[in-house]
PDB file of all heavy atoms in Angstrom:
ATOM      1  N   THR G  81     -31.348  -2.701  16.823  1.00 56.00           N
ATOM      2  CA  THR G  81     -30.073  -2.575  16.121  1.00 56.00           C
ATOM      3  C   THR G  81     -28.987  -2.258  17.145  1.00 56.00           C
ATOM      4  O   THR G  81     -28.562  -1.117  17.273  1.00 56.00           O
ATOM      5  CB  THR G  81     -30.131  -1.459  15.061  1.00 56.00           C
ATOM      6  OG1 THR G  81     -30.622  -0.277  15.702  1.00 56.00           O
ATOM      7  CG2 THR G  81     -31.032  -1.820  13.905  1.00 56.00           C
ATOM      8  N   PRO G  82     -28.530  -3.270  17.898  1.00 54.00           N
ATOM      9  CA  PRO G  82     -27.579  -3.022  18.977  1.00 54.00           C
ATOM     10  C   PRO G  82     -26.135  -2.843  18.515  1.00 54.00           C
ATOM     11  O   PRO G  82     -25.234  -2.851  19.324  1.00 54.00           O
ATOM     12  CB  PRO G  82     -27.729  -4.280  19.833  1.00 54.00           C
ATOM     13  CG  PRO G  82     -28.096  -5.343  18.850  1.00 54.00           C
ATOM     14  CD  PRO G  82     -28.957  -4.674  17.823  1.00 54.00           C
ATOM     15  N   VAL G  83     -25.927  -2.716  17.195  1.00 65.00           N
ATOM     16  CA  VAL G  83     -24.565  -2.629  16.685  1.00 65.00           C
ATOM     17  C   VAL G  83     -24.167  -1.163  16.539  1.00 65.00           C
ATOM     18  O   VAL G  83     -24.499  -0.503  15.559  1.00 65.00           O
ATOM     19  CB  VAL G  83     -24.431  -3.355  15.328  1.00 65.00           C
ATOM     20  CG1 VAL G  83     -22.984  -3.316  14.853  1.00 65.00           C
ATOM     21  CG2 VAL G  83     -24.893  -4.801  15.449  1.00 65.00           C
ATOM     22  N   THR G  84     -23.473  -0.621  17.537  1.00 78.00           N
ATOM     23  CA  THR G  84     -23.087   0.779  17.471  1.00 78.00           C
ATOM     24  C   THR G  84     -21.983   1.017  16.434  1.00 78.00           C
ATOM     25  O   THR G  84     -21.839   2.140  15.950  1.00 78.00           O
ATOM     26  CB  THR G  84     -22.604   1.284  18.844  1.00 78.00           C
ATOM     27  OG1 THR G  84     -21.535   0.454  19.296  1.00 78.00           O
ATOM     28  CG2 THR G  84     -23.733   1.257  19.857  1.00 78.00           C
ATOM     29  N   VAL G  85     -21.225  -0.022  16.069  1.00 87.00           N
ATOM     30  CA  VAL G  85     -20.185   0.143  15.050  1.00 87.00           C
ATOM     31  C   VAL G  85     -20.806   0.619  13.747  1.00 87.00           C
ATOM     32  O   VAL G  85     -20.277   1.521  13.079  1.00 87.00           O
ATOM     33  CB  VAL G  85     -19.417  -1.180  14.828  1.00 87.00           C
ATOM     34  CG1 VAL G  85     -18.507  -1.064  13.603  1.00 87.00           C
ATOM     35  CG2 VAL G  85     -18.590  -1.536  16.048  1.00 87.00           C
ATOM     36  N   LEU G  86     -21.926   0.064  13.360  1.00 89.00           N
ATOM     37  CA  LEU G  86     -22.575   0.450  12.109  1.00 89.00           C
ATOM     38  C   LEU G  86     -22.993   1.919  12.150  1.00 89.00           C
ATOM     39  O   LEU G  86     -22.818   2.659  11.180  1.00 89.00           O
ATOM     40  CB  LEU G  86     -23.790  -0.440  11.855  1.00 89.00           C
ATOM     41  CG  LEU G  86     -24.508  -0.249  10.513  1.00 89.00           C
ATOM     42  CD1 LEU G  86     -23.548  -0.502   9.365  1.00 89.00           C
ATOM     43  CD2 LEU G  86     -25.711  -1.177  10.410  1.00 89.00           C
ATOM     44  N   TYR G  87     -23.517   2.366  13.292  1.00 91.00           N
ATOM     45  CA  TYR G  87     -23.896   3.770  13.438  1.00 91.00           C
ATOM     46  C   TYR G  87     -22.666   4.677  13.411  1.00 91.00           C
ATOM     47  O   TYR G  87     -22.719   5.792  12.887  1.00 91.00           O
ATOM     48  CB  TYR G  87     -24.668   3.975  14.739  1.00 91.00           C
ATOM     49  CG  TYR G  87     -26.117   3.584  14.640  1.00 91.00           C
ATOM     50  CD1 TYR G  87     -26.513   2.269  14.839  1.00 91.00           C
ATOM     51  CD2 TYR G  87     -27.091   4.521  14.329  1.00 91.00           C
ATOM     52  CE1 TYR G  87     -27.843   1.903  14.739  1.00 91.00           C
ATOM     53  CE2 TYR G  87     -28.423   4.158  14.237  1.00 91.00           C
ATOM     54  CZ  TYR G  87     -28.798   2.853  14.438  1.00 91.00           C
ATOM     55  OH  TYR G  87     -30.112   2.486  14.323  1.00 91.00           O
ATOM     56  N   THR G  88     -21.557   4.223  13.978  1.00 93.00           N
ATOM     57  CA  THR G  88     -20.331   5.016  13.972  1.00 93.00           C
ATOM     58  C   THR G  88     -19.812   5.194  12.552  1.00 93.00           C
ATOM     59  O   THR G  88     -19.420   6.302  12.153  1.00 93.00           O
ATOM     60  CB  THR G  88     -19.256   4.354  14.850  1.00 93.00           C
ATOM     61  OG1 THR G  88     -19.761   4.205  16.180  1.00 93.00           O
ATOM     62  CG2 THR G  88     -17.996   5.203  14.900  1.00 93.00           C
ATOM     63  N   LEU G  89     -19.804   4.119  11.771  1.00 94.00           N
ATOM     64  CA  LEU G  89     -19.376   4.224  10.378  1.00 94.00           C
ATOM     65  C   LEU G  89     -20.295   5.163   9.607  1.00 94.00           C
ATOM     66  O   LEU G  89     -19.834   5.997   8.827  1.00 94.00           O
ATOM     67  CB  LEU G  89     -19.377   2.836   9.724  1.00 94.00           C
ATOM     68  CG  LEU G  89     -18.443   1.771  10.307  1.00 94.00           C
ATOM     69  CD1 LEU G  89     -18.571   0.471   9.515  1.00 94.00           C
ATOM     70  CD2 LEU G  89     -17.003   2.240  10.309  1.00 94.00           C
ATOM     71  N   ALA G  90     -21.597   5.026   9.831  1.00 95.00           N
ATOM     72  CA  ALA G  90     -22.571   5.878   9.134  1.00 95.00           C
ATOM     73  C   ALA G  90     -22.368   7.342   9.493  1.00 95.00           C
ATOM     74  O   ALA G  90     -22.400   8.224   8.619  1.00 95.00           O
ATOM     75  CB  ALA G  90     -23.987   5.437   9.488  1.00 95.00           C
ATOM     76  N   ALA G  91     -22.133   7.617  10.771  1.00 96.00           N
ATOM     77  CA  ALA G  91     -21.930   9.003  11.206  1.00 96.00           C
ATOM     78  C   ALA G  91     -20.639   9.573  10.632  1.00 96.00           C
ATOM     79  O   ALA G  91     -20.575  10.761  10.287  1.00 96.00           O
ATOM     80  CB  ALA G  91     -21.903   9.070  12.730  1.00 96.00           C
ATOM     81  N   GLY G  92     -19.610   8.757  10.524  1.00 96.00           N
ATOM     82  CA  GLY G  92     -18.359   9.222   9.930  1.00 96.00           C
ATOM     83  C   GLY G  92     -18.547   9.651   8.489  1.00 96.00           C
ATOM     84  O   GLY G  92     -18.069  10.716   8.070  1.00 96.00           O
ATOM     85  N   VAL G  93     -19.236   8.829   7.726  1.00 97.00           N
ATOM     86  CA  VAL G  93     -19.532   9.176   6.331  1.00 97.00           C
ATOM     87  C   VAL G  93     -20.336  10.469   6.268  1.00 97.00           C
ATOM     88  O   VAL G  93     -20.064  11.363   5.468  1.00 97.00           O
ATOM     89  CB  VAL G  93     -20.298   8.032   5.639  1.00 97.00           C
ATOM     90  CG1 VAL G  93     -20.765   8.456   4.247  1.00 97.00           C
ATOM     91  CG2 VAL G  93     -19.424   6.783   5.544  1.00 97.00           C
ATOM     92  N   ALA G  94     -21.343  10.575   7.135  1.00 97.00           N
ATOM     93  CA  ALA G  94     -22.201  11.760   7.157  1.00 97.00           C
ATOM     94  C   ALA G  94     -21.399  13.030   7.425  1.00 97.00           C
ATOM     95  O   ALA G  94     -21.570  14.044   6.734  1.00 97.00           O
ATOM     96  CB  ALA G  94     -23.285  11.586   8.224  1.00 97.00           C
TER      97      ALA G  94
END
Side-chain angles (χ1 to χ4, degrees):
T81 52
V83 183
T84 56
V85 170
L86 185 59
Y87 280 85
T88 302
L89 298 181
V93 173

